Amino acid sequence: MCGIVGIVGQAPVAPLIVDALKRLEYRGYDSAGVATIAAGKLGRRRAEGKLINLERRLQDEPLDGTIGIGHTRWATHGVPNETNAHPHFSKDVAIVHNGIIENFAELRTGLIADGYEFASQTDTEVVAHLVSRELAKGLGPVEAAHAALRQLEGAFALAIMYRGDEDMIIGARNGPPLAVGHGEGEMYLGSDAIALSPFTNAITYLEDGDWAVVRRGSLEIFDIDGNRVERRRQQSVGTSYLVDKGNYRHFMEKEIHEQPEVVSQTLAHYLDFANGVARRGDTPFDFAKIDRLAVAACGTAYLAGLVGKYWFERYARLPVDIDVASEFRYREMPLTRDSAALFISQSGETADTLASLRYCRQAGAPIGAIVNVRESTIARESDGIFPTLAGPEIGVASTKAFTCQLAVLASLAVRAAAERGHIDAARERVLVRELSEAPKYINQALKLAPQIEKLARELSQVKHVLYLGRDTNYPLALEGALKLKEISYIHAEGYAAGELKHGPIALIDEQMPVIVIAPHDRIFEKTVSNMQEVAARGGKIILITDARGAAQSSVDTLDTIVVPDVPEIISPIVHALPMQMLAYYTAVFMGTDVDQPRNLAKSVTVE
Ligand code: F6R
């Protein structure tokens, strides 16, 4: 999604703004721009495509000025081109925006009637003209911004700057996050703390409905009614991580290889290995008292939740309702008095997941959230959080956050099982020991990279791929297909293997690779039957299994990837690795933009 940066500084800010925008690249974008004020004039450079294009523009035509705003745009209203790129101007007003102004059509009609001309197709330009119109009515810059904000409906984070005031940027937040950074005689605005990490770790997060007047020497925050509000200044955590690729070609490759470490850290947070128990911690609900857990999330986080459903129901006998958040938020699910709600989100900012959380808040259910960004909105609005200790995830395709979400869910399922009396202390000890072995097996799975890379070369030649799995391997089949399509652009579908004959079998021919995830578990034989059905129709099977499964599969395969033999509870965590590596190497062969695939955004702050 769009990224925002603003600096009221001491030195020329354009290069600093570009540097900060680079740290927001991971969010996904398709154009970028910077505006500054120098010698009483507003100047701007914008470019379609990657930041390198903007940097070239700035090299050819540099921008002076010690105050400026910048933006990476992920198109919603209007195609991604230079004209639609932010910042947008209206007379003396410059503005950048993340989100969607829902009443923009109506506002635009009124502004056109008042003689305002629109240069772009964006909803953002409406805000620039609204502020301008308030100035024209005689309001001062701060009052004009406030008056304009009151007219907006929808989700937005905004930074507004005025020709004529080189000591002030106004920031506003209603939905998408916005952070104020405190420097030495300088102040900053940014979509997240990572963007501001080269400048400062001292951060104040704006809350929904807040707007702020940011000057070199002061910060004033107001609510939408104009009352002063106080927001805590905090030391941002997590930004000490070096946001670079190290020796890896892509962030995604680096993040895949970080998994033994981050999964280990995450498990250690939830499990007491020495005593063989899942830590009781301060969960906002009592697993022994609830009779249903409602789970909502999007994309890969949803698929982690789907694996979690199998675990909670199997080990803790706790029924789980799970939905993609964009459905959950509108389907008016009844929540009983004994229900609890759990949300899963790497970024903690996903608009649909946040809206689902707010639905449950209104319904009175206790709310927990599995999040990677502890300062995020979802974290702040939950009654309790279950952090994943994955560190910043920069690759748009989620990898380490997914396995860490699985590690949290598995740990919670064991805890719920113990609290609900469905496992005794001895069984809990065994499960905790088995979970503690996950990092070791992830490490072993990483050693499959050369074989998977070879196979990926073949996969990069095909147009369609089918993924099949049963039980927890069904969500993994969905995840494998999602990963492949998002970074290699190859069409892929995941199915429950038992569903094959209810439709997708019609797709099978000699051209169709079918990736089957089938470790030797209690339903292995059933999946083997499905593989026979594929083989009988000439489909090319790629089997991902363990040594026992490989020995007993009795089906000819194009390739068999033998994953370590692991205990059932950690099987999804370990089997996630070949899914990720297969997608990664295929995308590398396809030559796609692995870390920032086309059209995708890392943090989806609009519906
Ligand atoms: C896929 C992917 C997305 C995210 C989804 C939710 O690789 O990364 O599907 O999982 O957009 O994002 P979060 O977890 O930030 O809520």
Side-chain angles (χ1 to χ4, degrees), residues 298-301 344-347 350 396-398 482-483 486 602 604:
C298 298
T300 288
I344 309 168
S345 176
Q346 186 284 127
S347 63
T350 300
V396 162
S398 188
L482 176 63
K483 230 55 332 153
E486 69 181 329
K602 180 76 182 159
V604 183

Side-chain angles (χ1 to χ4, degrees), residues 188-338:
Y188 317 93
L189 271 171
S191 290
D192 63 27
I194 292 180
L196 304 183
S197 61
F199 315 126
T200 182
N201 275 336
I203 300 288
T204 300
Y205 289 94
L206 298 189
E207 294 189 3
D208 267 356
D210 285 357
W211 58 284
V213 179
V214 183
R215 298 182 195 275
R216 282 184 184 81
S218 68
L219 168 66
E220 292 172 298
I221 306 177
F222 303 91
D223 66 16
I224 195 62
D225 294 322
N227 304 309
R228 273 293 292 271
V229 289
E230 292 304 320
R231 302 291 176 227
R232 202 162 55 89
R233 174 169 159 167
Q234 46 190 288
Q235 286 300 111
S236 157
V237 292
T239 51
S240 54
Y241 285 84
L242 268 186
V243 187
D244 71 32
K245 294 193 223 101
N247 290 328
Y248 295 98
R249 278 173 293 182
H250 299 98
F251 279 110
M252 182 176 177
E253 188 185 23
K254 177 176 175 237
E255 287 159 3
I256 287 173
H257 283 84
E258 282 171 355
Q259 290 176 107
E261 194 186 331
V262 294
V263 167
S264 162
Q265 279 165 7
T266 302
L267 286 169
H269 188 84
Y270 293 93
L271 304 174
D272 174 348
F273 298 131
N275 293 305
V277 291
R279 292 204 168 92
R280 298 294 171 257
D282 48 356
T283 312
F285 35 79
D286 184 343
F287 279 119
K289 296 222 171 89
I290 58 175
D291 64 9
R292 188 156 285 274
L293 187 63
V295 180
C298 298
T300 288
Y302 161 75
L303 296 173
L306 202 51
V307 176
K309 174 181 167 74
Y310 286 84
W311 282 330
F312 278 115
E313 293 185 345
R314 178 163 303 148
Y315 295 111
R317 312 303 298 155
L318 175 61
V320 172
D321 283 311
I322 174 158
D323 269 298
V324 287
S326 53
E327 290 301 314
F328 185 100
R329 63 182 293 188
Y330 291 117
R331 92 177 160 92
E332 297 172 28
M333 177 192 178
L335 287 160
T336 62
R337 227 170 355 117
D338 298 321

